[in-house]
Structures are given as C-alpha cells and as structure tokens.
Amino acid sequence: MKDVAKVRLFLDQPLGQGQTVPLSREQAHYLFSVMRLGAGAHVLVFNGQAGEWLAEVTEAGKRGGMLTCRHRTRPLQMPPDLWFLFAPIKKARTDFIVEKAAELGAARICPVQTDFTNSDRIRRDRLQAHAVEAAEQCGGTFVPEVADLTRLDAVLSAWPEGRRLMFCDEALVGAGRTLGDVPRGPWAILIGPEGGFSEAERTCLRALPFGHPVSLGPRVLRADTAAVAALTVWQQALGDWE
Amino acid sequence: MKDVAKVRLFLDQPLGQGQTVPLSREQAHYLFSVMRLGAGAHVLVFNGQAGEWLAEVTEAGKRGGMLTCRHRTRPLQMPPDLWFLFAPIKKARTDFIVEKAAELGAARICPVQTDFTNSDRIRRDRLQAHAVEAAEQCGGTFVPEVADLTRLDAVLSAWPEGRRLMFCDEALVGAGRTLGDVPRGPWAILIGPEGGFSEAERTCLRALPFGHPVSLGPRVLRADTAAVAALTVWQQALGDWE
C-alpha cells in the first residue's frame, strides 16, 4: 500500500526535489491518527505554485512530523485568468459556490456586497479553506484566492483596464443572450444574490462598457446553480475546456 | 399585501377556473401558522399539469382549509424531453443533484446503480420532495418524476428506440470532446459516481450506438458539479436556452 498515495494535501510550504516539509500538529493528527499513515507512507502534496509532489513520511509523531518530497507527479496547472464575483447568500450555499468556483477553474474568488445582499461580512478564512479542500479533492494544483468582501460599486469603479465582465441576471438579461463572438483574455463572471440586483445596480451594469449580459435559460435559477452554470458557459466558450 | 402572493405551493390536485382545492393538515399548518396567511390571502399554486394559478384562501382552519383558483397566472412550461441519469452519492449531494436537475429542466430523474455506487437503495419519496421544492422555489410549473433506483445495465439494455445518451466520464471521454453537430429530440444525460465507471461499464458505454461522450474540461469534477455542468452544456446546445 505504501506506493499508492491515498491522501492529497495542500501545504503552504516550499516544495521541491528532496525538500523536507515540517507538519503542523493538525496535519500530523490528520495523517497519522485519522488516516493512520506511518513512516514510509506516501502522500501527494501541492502548494498552489510548484505542481504536485509525491512525498514520503520521514517522521511521524503525535505532535508533528516531516515529509520529504521525492518527485514531482504533475506540473502546476493554472486556470484561465477568470475572476468569479458573487454575492454571498446562506452559509451552506455560499460554501458550495466557493467550492464550485475552485473546482471549475476560477483564478480568483471575490465575494461582493450588493444592495440586496443580506450578509455584511464573511468568514474569509473559512471560505478559503473550502477552496483548498476543493483543490485537494479534485486533483487541483492551484488554489484560487478568496478576496475580502467588497461592495459591488467599489469593485466596478476600480475595474481594471482590459478585463471583461459576464453577468447573468434574468430580469436584466432576457432570454437567449449568449456570449457570442467575444475576445479571450482577462474576464470576470458576476452572479447576483437571490433577490437579484437593485434598480440602481441594473442601470449601472447595463451601462458598463466592459459588461456582457448572458442568459442562463428560461428558468429562474438559484444563485448556486447559476454560479456553476455560468462557469460552465464561460469555460466552454472562452476557457480551457477544449 | 393580499394582492401579492408571497407563497408558491405545489398541490397534487386538479386546478382550474373557480376550482376549490382542499388543504391537508400539513398544508394548512404551513400556510396559516408558519406563513401566517388568513382568509382572503393569495397564494400561487401549480400541480405540474395545469400551469400556475392565483388562488385565494377561502377557508382557513387549524386542521385544514380551502383555496379557490381565481385566474391562471402562467401556462405550463414543459422542459425538453431530457432524462437525467445519475448514480446516487452521499445524501446531501444526492439531494443537491435532484434539486439541480429539477431546476435546470430535466423531464425525468433516474437514479441508477452502477458497479461503484455505494447505495443500493434510495428514499424515492424524499428525492421527489426535493424536486417539488425546487419547482416551488424557482417558479417551475412542471415537476420531473424521480424514478426508482435501477441498475445501469438494466436501464441500458431496455433503452428506448431513438433516445440519445450524453455521458461524461473523464477517464472515458478524454479532453475536448464536445457534443458537436448532433440532432435534437429525446436525449438523456448520464453522470457517473464519484469513483467513475467500472471497466465493464466503460466497455459497454463506449460501444453504445446511441452514446455521445462529452468532456467537461480538464479538471476532475465532483459528481454534483458534473451534474450541473452537463445539464448546462446540454441545455445550451440542444435544449431551450435560446
């Protein structure tokens, strides 16, 4: 069993040929008590920058331990330059949206506060942990950063030159609007809150020179469904799904 | 407030102009105790066949009550003829898959047992209730039927003439396979379990004359993510998203 790595772990540490990696108490507990690994066992590790490495447990203790990187198993696979902006909703569905954005290859996850967003704060560390777990589970070698909650108007007024924005809001978009023939390059997706955008936000979004309204079909979708559907539409048309 | 219906309810009863609809004890509890409606209040109701109706509470009691249909607010909107086949996974994610299939317009939801499916039974009534709730929440006028759990090989060997099958399995499909130029008409989508398909299943799926392998990008997706992504890909290409 030692040759088959059953555990895949994100480590915020330098990784490289022969590199030793100290384990925290929590990591040691997970590997040695929960997963019952011991010295000599193999795990797959990644840090979001250096690809994926096969590492060997070279020290196993109750309060810590050591891994040693043996060889690189996969190179870093960067997602396309896609920001994912969404309005946080109920806790479980917000967690889900972050997990799905990480799984589907967003490069950066930006919670935005809109006029109809209920929450005025988020647990950024918790959402970041969900992004890490999604990468661990799904074989990702990159972990998107979860940004701090920022007001939508602030995000839009500081919008970077050259980045396009696909937004999806039934009331705003109307049926049948597709991405069409648009250029690749830096993009962002914006998903509204369950209650939609306010009239002021709609006026603003409609007028954006970098905005691209897209329809997600004739049915009303929950925000978490719209998130996955929008990421799919974008990745298929402009991302790395080919 | 009486003119704005804040509640949307699926009722397994005939609906039509002037039709009275008796309420069960549970429905009366929900409307009159939880939502605090009383006689004269308006609710939106649908039964999956007769579109959506504005109904008035004409009797409100602790153990029951009566609604009277006033006028039809929307016609029945049928989804495309799409079956959604999936292998049940962990409880919360199975519930989620059923919710999303109902939201995204599957006409029929078929749980299938594959070689690597852990569960050998499902709570069909519970999954059906999730499909109903998704329709209630998302303004749907149709509720897809959740079928009984059936073995995949039995489903495939009794496959109906003329129905095509889109399947998505990373190991099976390879990168970059799109739906391409395929006919509309009756279709089905098959999503495998977390552990993928067995070698025997793969051999069988590859040989199906009605099978269409499709890639969902270069990343490994969880089964629930793959479900939403596959429904999006299909609806965009062959469904009613135009």
Side-chain angles (χ1 to χ4, degrees):
Chain A
M1 288 305 290
K2 281 186 185 177
D3 282 299
V4 183
K6 296 170 89 176
V7 173
R8 208 167 171 280
L9 208 59
F10 174 85
L11 295 172
D12 196 8
Q13 303 267 0
L15 301 176
Q17 191 67 45
Q19 176 82 46
T20 54
V21 186
L23 295 171
S24 70
R25 196 179 181 129
E26 291 73 31
Q27 288 161 344
H29 174 75
Y30 173 69
L31 291 181
F32 310 136
S33 302
V34 180
M35 298 307 292
R36 303 189 168 256
L37 301 182
H42 286 171
V43 296
L44 293 170
V45 295
F46 65 107
N47 63 3
Q49 292 163 358
E52 179 188 79
W53 289 78
L54 185 80
E56 186 183 327
V57 176
T58 43
E59 251 182 72
K62 290 220 163 184
R63 289 174 200 164
M66 190 77 80
L67 301 179
T68 304
C69 293
R70 293 305 181 204
H71 63 269
R72 197 168 74 158
T73 43
R74 286 200 299 148
L76 175 65
Q77 187 200 19
M78 287 290 292
D81 185 2
L82 174 67
W83 294 358
F84 183 77
L85 281 58
F86 77 104
I89 44 174
K90 280 187 293 182
K91 187 169 158 293
R93 288 184 195 260
T94 298
D95 294 351
F96 174 87
I97 288 177
V98 168
E99 173 186 306
K100 293 325 178 201
E103 248 182 76
L104 286 162
R108 187 177 163 79
I109 298 172
C110 311
V112 293
Q113 204 179 349
T114 68
D115 290 344
F116 296 160
T117 305
N118 288 322
S119 47
D120 55 1
R121 61 197 189 90
I122 53 163
R123 286 279 311 273
R124 211 197 61 77
D125 55 339
R126 239 182 102 254
L127 296 181
Q128 187 65 65
H130 277 286
V132 165
E133 202 197 316
E136 286 177 340
Q137 288 280 323
C138 293
T141 49
F142 173 84
V143 179
E145 191 194 336
V146 179
D148 281 321
L149 183 67
T150 311
R151 277 207 53 90
L152 178 60
D153 47 13
V155 173
L156 293 178
S157 62
W159 196 255
E161 180 79 25
R163 185 172 295 272
R164 287 158 203 279
L165 176 66
M166 162 176 151
F167 57 84
C168 319
D169 176 70
E170 287 86 3
L172 199 50
V173 170
R177 288 289 289 267
T178 60
L179 260 178
D181 193 21
V182 289
R184 293 178 181 247
W187 272 83
I189 293 174
L190 169 63
I191 297 293
E194 302 270 305
F197 293 106
S198 70
E199 205 40 62
E201 286 168 341
R202 282 182 184 157
T203 306
C204 169
L205 285 169
R206 269 190 214 107
L208 292 176
F210 49 86
H212 295 260
V214 169
S215 155
L216 298 176
R219 291 167 205 86
V220 179
L221 301 182
R222 278 175 160 145
D224 56 349
T225 320
V228 178
L231 284 157
T232 301
V233 165
W234 189 90
Q235 285 285 14
Q236 237 197 347
L238 298 167
D240 58 11
W241 277 31
E242 284 175 6
Chain B
M1 289 304 290
K2 279 184 182 176
D3 283 298
V4 184
K6 295 170 90 176
V7 173
R8 211 170 168 277
L9 208 59
F10 174 85
L11 295 172
D12 197 8
Q13 304 266 1
L15 301 177
Q17 191 68 44
Q19 175 83 47
T20 54
V21 186
L23 295 171
S24 71
R25 194 179 185 129
E26 291 73 30
Q27 288 160 345
H29 174 73
Y30 173 68
L31 290 181
F32 309 136
S33 302
V34 180
M35 299 306 292
R36 302 188 169 260
L37 300 182
H42 286 171
V43 297
L44 293 170
V45 297
F46 65 106
N47 63 3
Q49 291 163 359
E52 180 188 77
W53 288 78
L54 185 79
E56 186 182 327
V57 176
T58 42
E59 249 183 74
K62 289 219 165 186
R63 289 175 201 165
M66 190 76 79
L67 301 180
T68 305
C69 293
R70 293 304 180 205
H71 64 269
R72 198 168 74 158
T73 43
R74 287 202 297 149
L76 175 66
Q77 187 199 22
M78 287 289 292
D81 185 2
L82 174 67
W83 293 359
F84 184 77
L85 281 60
F86 77 103
I89 45 176
K90 280 187 293 181
K91 185 170 157 297
R93 288 186 195 261
T94 298
D95 293 351
F96 174 88
I97 287 177
V98 169
E99 173 187 306
K100 293 324 177 202
E103 246 182 77
L104 286 162
R108 189 178 161 80
I109 298 172
C110 312
V112 294
Q113 203 179 351
T114 67
D115 290 345
F116 297 159
T117 304
N118 288 323
S119 48
D120 54 1
R121 62 197 188 88
I122 52 162
R123 285 278 310 273
R124 210 197 61 76
D125 55 340
R126 239 182 102 253
L127 296 182
Q128 186 66 64
H130 277 285
V132 165
E133 203 199 316
E136 286 177 340
Q137 288 280 322
C138 293
T141 50
F142 173 86
V143 179
E145 191 193 336
V146 179
D148 281 321
L149 183 67
T150 312
R151 278 209 51 91
L152 177 61
D153 47 14
V155 173
L156 293 178
S157 62
W159 197 255
E161 181 80 24
R163 186 172 295 273
R164 288 158 204 278
L165 176 66
M166 163 177 151
F167 57 84
C168 318
D169 176 70
E170 287 87 3
L172 200 49
V173 169
R177 288 289 289 267
T178 60
L179 261 178
D181 194 23
V182 290
R184 293 177 181 248
W187 271 85
I189 292 174
L190 170 63
I191 298 293
E194 302 270 304
F197 294 106
S198 71
E199 206 40 63
E201 285 168 340
R202 282 183 183 157
T203 306
C204 168
L205 284 169
R206 269 191 215 105
L208 292 177
F210 50 85
H212 296 259
V214 169
S215 155
L216 298 176
R219 291 167 205 85
V220 179
L221 302 181
R222 278 174 159 145
D224 56 349
T225 320
V228 178
L231 285 156
T232 300
V233 165
W234 189 89
Q235 285 285 15
Q236 239 198 346
L238 297 168
D240 58 12
W241 277 32
E242 286 176 6

